[in-house]
Each structure stands twice: as C-alpha cells, then as structure tokens.
C-alpha cells in the first residue's frame, strides 16, 4: 500500500513539473524581451544564459544571448554565443548578420564580409542584410556603396527608420580642408649650426574619393628666402585604385627644388594589402633628380598600418660635378590609431632619401652621403573640425652632419 502511495506522489510531482515548466519558460522569455526593451541588457543576458543552458538546442536563444552580449561590449561572449547558434543552424540569417555586426564593431572587416556575403546569397532581398552591408561600407568610409544599399532598402520601404537614420549620418560629399603649419630645420656641421624656418598654407576640398588643394610655402634657409607654390590632386576609382599628382614651383632653385613634380598610383585590396608606385622629378639650379618609389602597405584589423618603400634615384649634376650613380634607399613606417590620438614612427636609410623629412628635399651635399633618418609624429583631434599634428625627424649623415626637423600643423576640416 505504501509503495502504491509513493508512486502516486512521484507521478503527481512529475505532472506538476511538466505543467509548470512551459509556464516558467514562457515567463523567462517574456522577462528577457522586456529587459531588452528597457535597455536592461545585463538582466536580459542573465535570462538568456538561463534559457540557453536549459534549452541548448534553441537557435533563437543563442542569437539573442549574442546580441545582448554585444550591447554590453562583451564581444568575445557575443561571438561565442553566435558560434553556438551557427553550429546548430549555419544558414540562420539573423545569426549571420548578428555575428557580422560584432566583427564590424571590432573593425574586423575581413571576417565580417564573408558572413554578410553568405547572408546575401541566402536572402538577396533582405533589408536586414542590406542594412548590415550598408553599415560595413559606412564604417570603411565608402559612402557611395552605403548609399546604394540604403536606396535598395528605401525602395522597398520608404519609411524604414534604420535606413533613414544611417542615410542622415553619411558625411557630406565635400568638405573644406585648411592646413596651417610651421617647420623648423637645424643642420649641424661640426661646430657650425645652420637654421631654417618655413611657414605653409594648404587649402583644398576633400570628398570620399577626391582631393584637390592649393599649396604655399615661404622658406628662409641658409639666409636665403624661397617662396614655393603648387597644386595637389588625388582621385580614387571604385574605392580600390588611387591616382595622385602634385606640383610645386619655387622662386629659386639653389637650396630647394625649383620644380618638384610627382605622380603616383596605389591599388588597395580587400585583404588589407596595398601596393603603390610614385615617380618624382626634382629640378634644382645645379642638379636634376628623378626618383622611382614602389611601396607595400598592410592595414591590420585594429587601426594599425605599416608601410615599406624602396627608392631608386638618378641624379644629373652641373658640369663641375661628375654624373651621379643610381642610388638606393629603403623606408619603413608604422601608424597606430588610439581613441584620442594617432601616432606615427619611421626609419629610412639611403642616399637622397627625402620621404620623411618635413623640410623637403634640400640641395646641400646632394648624393654625397648616406643617411639614417628617424621620425616620430602624433595627430591629436582637438574638436570635430580641428586636428593638431606634430612631427620630428632626425637625419644622421655619413658625412658627419646631422639635421633635425620639427613641424607643427593645424588642420581644419569642415
């Protein structure tokens, strides 16, 4: 009799659990959704952790857990949750897009792009996917691509709030850029020291794919005053190919180039690599210099980039100096962006190497020495429209002379 009674009690408890379990599950789901709506993301994550632990086969719970973890900037936790969801259903659109957003927020565009491409193949007419791809273009400063994606969404629904919001944040096509700077130069030869100073003004228009400016410099070097002026121009095709050119004309050509012309071509790849080449022609009163400079660049997922260049130079001197032999030089440069500033550092070695000296090419001892040049710089945004830039360069020459250059610039962009 007692055994029968015990069985009845156990059966009753099991039935009670079976009846209350769905109700408890529904309550947890409701509380989680309410917490998300109220922006109580920590509470929502705790609830979705409970739901995923008790229902690990449910894709939507893992996806929701990944989403709220992302809102809390727990990117590793978000990626782990999205990976759990994709292990259950690799073709879930919401999960693919959600994980892509986390990678975009981390500036990991290389990993986000394949996810978005896969989502687009699965749902080519999805506004959710188009919006994520528009965000990707926006983050990478490709406003035209972002605008094209947004137009696809707005053709389906002209009142789509998310698309309209992103459209309002696309930066204007053109901005006015003004650069004001001072450059100080000091050349030490034994106990003697020769100082120079320059002021510069650069005024131009910049857009995502174009840049054009008018440049002016006023130099005082070796006791002589030199005025130079010219134009800079660049254009980017399809966000991958960039062509740039510049020209400077000076009032005299003894200490600075009377004519300084250059043209360059760069090809960017979506893998983060870029290759470039630049040809530069400099005409002094007593020398003619030509430089060909191929380069290689890589941009990491974090705001870090490195560049390496090689320069081959050919020089022709006046009749008093023998014809110069071809010269070689190499240069390395490192850039890293932080939340409130960007730093630059570089090293170069070679003959007639002008790549990093803010003072520009100078006509003292051209081609007669080999030099190591060390550079450092920092860009500090002061406001939305103003950035300050400071650069320092030290050139140690095999002839025993040393040159130091310091520059300070204000860059207005509006």
């Amino acid at each position: 009799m007692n055994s029968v009674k015990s069985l009845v009690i156990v059966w009753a408890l099991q039935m009670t659990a079976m009846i209350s379990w769905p109700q408890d599950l529904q309550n947890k789901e409701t509380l989680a959704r309410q917490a998300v709506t109220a922006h109580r993301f920590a509470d929502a994550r705790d609830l979705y952790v409970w739901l995923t632990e008790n229902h690990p086969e449910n894709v939507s719970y893992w996806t929701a857990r990944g989403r709220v973890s992302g809102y809390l900037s727990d990117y590793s936790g978000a990626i782990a949750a999205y990976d759990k969801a994709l292990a259950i259903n690799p073709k879930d659109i919401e999960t693919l897009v959600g994980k892509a957003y986390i990678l975009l927020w981390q500036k990991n565009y290389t990993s986000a792009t394949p996810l978005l491409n896969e989502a687009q193949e699965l749902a080519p007419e999805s506004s959710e996917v188009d919006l994520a791809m528009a965000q990707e273009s926006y983050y990478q400063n490709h406003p035209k691509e972002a605008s094209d994606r947004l137009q696809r969404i707005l053709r389906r629904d002209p009142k789509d709030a998310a698309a309209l919001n992103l459209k309002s944040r696309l930066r204007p096509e053109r901005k006015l850029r003004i650069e004001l700077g001072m450059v100080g130069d000091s050349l030490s030869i034994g106990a003697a020291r020769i100082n120079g100073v320059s002021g510069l003004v650069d005024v131009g228009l910049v857009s995502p794919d174009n840049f054009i400016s008018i440049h002016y410099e006023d130099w005082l070097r070796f006791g002589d005053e030199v005025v130079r002026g010219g134009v800079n121009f660049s254009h980017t095709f399809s966000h991958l190919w960039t062509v740039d050119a510049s020209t400077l004309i000076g009032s005299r050509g003894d200490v600075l180039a009377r004519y300084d012309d250059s043209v360059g071509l760069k090809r960017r790849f979506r893998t983060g690599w870029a290759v470039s080449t630049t040809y530069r022609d400099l005409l002094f009163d007593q020398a003619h210099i030509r430089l060909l400079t191929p380069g290689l660049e890589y941009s990491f997922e974090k705001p870090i980039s490195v560049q390496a260049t090689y320069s081959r130079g050919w020089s022709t001197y006046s009749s008093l100096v023998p014809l110069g032999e071809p010269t070689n030089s190499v240069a390395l440069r490192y850039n890293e962006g932080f939340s409130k500033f960007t730093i630059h550092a570089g090293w170069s070695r070679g003959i007639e190497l002008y790549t990093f000296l803010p003072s520009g090419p100078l006509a003292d001892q051209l081609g007669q020495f080999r030099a190591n040049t060390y550079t450092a710089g920092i860009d500090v945004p002061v406001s939305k429209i103003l950035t300050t830039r400071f650069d320092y360069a030290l050139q140690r020459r095999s002839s025993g002379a040393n040159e130091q250059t310091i520059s300070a610039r204000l860059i207005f962009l509006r």
Side-chain angles (χ1 to χ4, degrees):
M1 187 68 179
N2 289 334
S3 61
V4 174
K5 186 176 181 180
S6 298
L7 289 173
V8 171
I9 293 173
V10 170
W11 177 82
L13 290 172
Q14 290 176 340
M15 291 300 294
T16 302
M18 291 176 64
I19 294 171
S20 61
W21 180 259
Q23 185 65 40
D24 189 36
L25 177 63
Q26 185 177 3
N27 288 339
K28 295 286 190 183
E29 288 182 351
T30 301
L31 289 173
R33 287 194 295 269
Q34 290 174 348
V36 172
T37 302
H39 290 185
R40 292 184 288 104
F41 300 127
D43 294 338
R45 180 173 60 179
D46 291 341
L47 290 164
Y48 281 119
V49 167
W50 185 93
L51 289 167
T52 53
E53 289 177 348
N54 287 276
H55 293 274
E57 77 290 345
N58 191 304
V59 173
S60 63
Y61 292 161
W62 284 110
T63 299
R65 178 175 171 177
R67 186 184 306 112
V68 295
S69 296
Y71 293 158
L72 292 167
S73 299
D74 178 14
Y75 297 142
S76 60
I79 293 294
Y82 281 125
D83 285 341
K84 288 282 190 179
L86 289 172
I88 301 169
N89 183 3
K91 296 184 178 181
D92 186 79
I93 302 299
E94 185 178 3
T95 307
L96 289 168
V97 172
K99 183 180 178 180
Y101 270 120
I102 299 299
L103 295 169
L104 291 177
W105 294 343
Q106 294 178 293
K107 298 185 178 181
N108 188 349
Y109 307 121
T110 304
S111 299
T113 299
L115 294 173
L116 294 176
N117 289 338
E118 183 178 356
Q120 186 179 43
E121 290 180 4
L122 295 169
E125 298 300 319
S126 170
S127 292
E128 179 186 9
V129 176
D130 278 329
L131 180 64
M133 299 187 84
Q135 290 277 11
E136 179 192 29
S137 298
Y138 172 72
Y139 291 148
Q140 296 190 78
N141 195 26
H142 298 157
K144 187 177 185 305
E145 290 181 4
S147 179
D148 291 343
R149 289 283 175 188
L150 294 175
Q151 289 303 318
R152 284 166 53 92
I153 300 171
L154 295 173
R155 279 196 295 269
R156 301 186 196 109
D157 180 7
K159 296 183 180 180
D160 189 295
L164 291 172
N165 179 58
L166 180 57
K167 185 178 180 180
S168 69
R169 289 188 284 123
L170 291 176
R171 70 180 190 175
E173 284 298 311
R174 294 185 181 87
K175 287 187 176 183
L176 176 65
R177 182 185 185 277
I178 301 175
E179 179 177 352
L180 307 175
M182 291 290 295
V183 181
D185 179 77
S186 178
L187 179 64
S188 300
I189 305 176
R193 180 182 297 272
I194 305 172
N195 297 319
V197 66
S198 167
L200 66 89
V201 179
D202 192 276
V203 180
L205 293 174
V206 59
S207 71
D209 294 327
N210 296 286
F211 173 71
I212 185 169
S213 72
I214 298 174
H215 189 85
Y216 173 81
E217 298 176 357
D218 191 344
W219 274 91
L220 180 62
R221 183 171 173 81
F222 298 144
D224 296 325
E225 184 174 2
V226 182
V227 174
R228 301 202 304 172
V231 177
N232 304 302
F233 170 80
S234 72
H235 176 71
T236 301
F237 300 88
S238 303
H239 311 294
L240 298 175
W241 291 92
T242 299
V243 176
D244 60 76
S246 67
T247 183
L248 276 175
I249 301 174
S251 59
R252 55 194 301 171
D254 45 2
V255 296
L256 290 169
R258 184 181 292 275
Y259 299 100
D260 184 348
D261 304 313
S262 70
V263 60
L265 178 66
K266 176 184 281 190
R267 172 65 161 92
R268 296 181 179 87
F269 301 91
R270 296 192 183 277
T271 57
W273 289 97
V275 294
S276 64
T277 185
T278 301
Y279 173 75
R280 191 172 181 183
D281 191 281
L282 304 113
L283 183 63
F284 294 82
D285 287 348
Q286 301 297 324
H288 184 194
I289 300 170
R290 287 143 291 177
L291 291 168
L292 184 63
T293 306
L296 184 65
E297 179 179 342
Y298 183 76
S299 298
F300 294 85
E301 295 170 358
K302 294 182 179 181
I304 295 174
S305 65
V306 292
Q307 296 102 28
T309 58
Y310 164 78
S311 291
R312 179 76 166 176
W314 296 267
S315 304
T316 304
Y317 300 99
S318 68
S319 58
L320 300 178
V321 182
L323 180 67
E325 294 292 329
T327 59
N328 304 284
S329 58
V330 294
L332 300 174
R333 188 169 175 84
Y334 175 88
N335 312 281
E336 181 172 358
F338 296 89
S339 59
K340 295 184 178 180
F341 58 90
T342 300
I343 62 170
H344 314 280
W347 167 83
S348 55
R349 176 176 174 80
I351 298 175
E352 297 172 353
L353 182 62
Y354 314 119
T355 307
F356 294 136
L357 280 180
S359 60
L362 305 171
D364 55 294
Q365 299 180 301
L366 277 175
Q368 300 177 34
F369 61 87
R370 183 174 297 276
N372 285 301
T373 304
Y374 309 90
T375 64
I378 184 170
D379 300 345
V380 182
V382 177
S383 66
K384 292 182 178 180
I385 65 171
L386 174 62
T387 297
T388 58
R389 176 174 297 171
F390 303 94
D391 289 288
Y392 171 78
L394 171 63
Q395 184 183 80
R396 295 188 179 277
R397 304 179 178 182
S398 59
S399 63
N402 294 324
E403 182 177 10
Q404 297 185 71
T405 305
I406 299 175
S407 68
R409 308 181 188 217
L410 300 176
I411 302 172
F412 299 87
L413 188 64
R414 185 167 186 173

